[in-house]
Amino acid sequence: GAGVSQSPSNKVTEKGKDVELRCDPISGHTALYWYRQSLGQGLEFLIYFQGNSAPDKSGLPSDRFSAERTGGSVSTLTIQRTQQEDSAVYLCASSLGVSSHSYEQYFGPGTRLTVT
Amino acid sequence: AQSVSQHNHHVILSEAASLELGCNYSYGGTVNLFWYVQYPGQHLQLLLKYFSGDPLVKGIKGFEAEFIKSKFSFNLRKPSVQWSDTAEYFCAVTHSGAGSYQLTFGKGTKLSVIP
């Protein structure tokens, strides 16, 4: 079946511009996660959505970062006033649920963001 | 806060050599443990996972890992590596608690297998 998809695959933007990154989770998966993979920091958790519950935003590095998930499916990660340190690969993952039997996270191919 | 340490940044092996990649975590409670692999140009894939039960877990492609609670370790092993195992390997942990579903990853270990 279809996996997690992300768009765009690559994004180059100028410092100070806003960007939107999109994630389409696996159909039927109720949990959705955003991570960031950068050379200096490795893989870092950003935000987590589960069903209709309030998202866990504890990993967002600053208030320039926000995310939403519409209709319990597609998610958009928005970075406002981008900075060079935002350059990274942004990964989306989804899982069927969050119980021990449904917790496995499936990752998308990522969006490589380069801020010039 | 929980953290994950992977001891080796880059490991170089010849084909048929045995592999062991170290992973230690810091968290005193109940944890769930994972190894993910990222092949060149591909996205992260789950190799294996431990939730409970037998501490020796077997994954795909002949990999296995052993959870040793007293050592806070979850080392990855493979008896005989192949060139196709060249990839980056990430250990990850989440702890069993309300709202704690995000993965905390180690920095990763690059494995290069020489034919």
Side-chain angles (χ1 to χ4, degrees):
Chain A
V4 177
S5 60
Q6 293 185 245
S7 60
S9 55
N10 281 285
K11 177 72 177 178
V12 180
T13 189
E14 291 179 355
K15 178 181 172 181
K17 301 280 191 186
D18 297 353
V19 294
E20 284 190 354
L21 312 179
R22 176 187 167 104
C23 172
D24 282 271
I26 294 172
S27 177
H29 280 196
T30 64
L32 186 147
Y33 316 75
W34 283 97
Y35 296 86
R36 178 169 71 173
Q37 186 175 23
S38 57
L39 278 175
Q41 301 298 321
L43 276 152
E44 306 170 280
F45 164 76
L46 296 177
I47 188 169
Y48 152 74
F49 297 89
Q50 165 58 19
N52 295 321
S53 303
D56 175 0
K57 304 180 183 180
S58 60
L60 295 178
S62 78
D63 59 8
R64 296 186 295 105
F65 287 72
S66 62
E68 62 177 23
R69 187 178 185 193
T70 53
S73 182
V74 172
S75 176
T76 303
L77 177 69
T78 301
I79 309 173
Q80 295 179 309
R81 305 181 302 283
T82 52
Q83 304 294 312
Q84 288 186 328
E85 61 262 29
D86 299 334
S87 296
V89 177
Y90 289 82
L91 296 172
C92 178
S94 69
S95 67
L96 187 60
V98 293
S99 71
S100 61
H101 300 292
S102 61
Y103 177 72
E104 178 178 337
Q105 294 186 29
Y106 294 83
F107 283 80
T111 293
R112 181 174 297 277
L113 174 66
T114 303
V115 182
T116 61
Chain B
Q2 60 197 19
S3 65
V4 178
S5 298
Q6 292 184 241
H7 314 299
N8 307 101
H9 178 64
H10 192 185
V11 172
I12 302 172
L13 294 173
S14 298
E15 275 192 317
S18 64
L19 170 72
E20 181 160 5
L21 300 182
C23 172
N24 287 90
Y25 63 92
S26 65
Y27 181 72
T30 302
V31 293
N32 301 316
L33 296 153
F34 306 82
W35 275 97
Y36 279 84
V37 61
Q38 190 168 29
Y39 297 103
Q42 296 189 26
H43 57 272
L44 279 167
Q45 300 171 42
L46 182 69
L47 263 183
L48 47 78
K49 61 188 175 186
Y50 172 81
F51 278 15
S52 62
D54 188 344
L56 184 62
V57 292
K58 296 192 184 297
I60 60 171
K61 306 188 180 185
F63 286 91
E64 65 178 31
E66 184 175 14
F67 170 50
I68 303 179
K69 189 174 180 179
S70 61
K71 295 185 177 179
F72 298 90
S73 70
F74 191 56
N75 292 354
L76 181 71
R77 299 195 292 249
K78 185 171 184 178
S80 175
V81 295
Q82 301 173 312
W83 177 78
S84 57
D85 294 325
T86 295
E88 190 158 16
Y89 293 80
F90 295 90
C91 182
V93 62
T94 188
H95 64 83
S96 298
S100 55
Y101 305 110
Q102 65 267 28
L103 291 165
T104 299
F105 285 89
K107 298 284 190 192
T109 298
K110 286 187 181 177
L111 172 64
S112 298
V113 180
I114 302 168

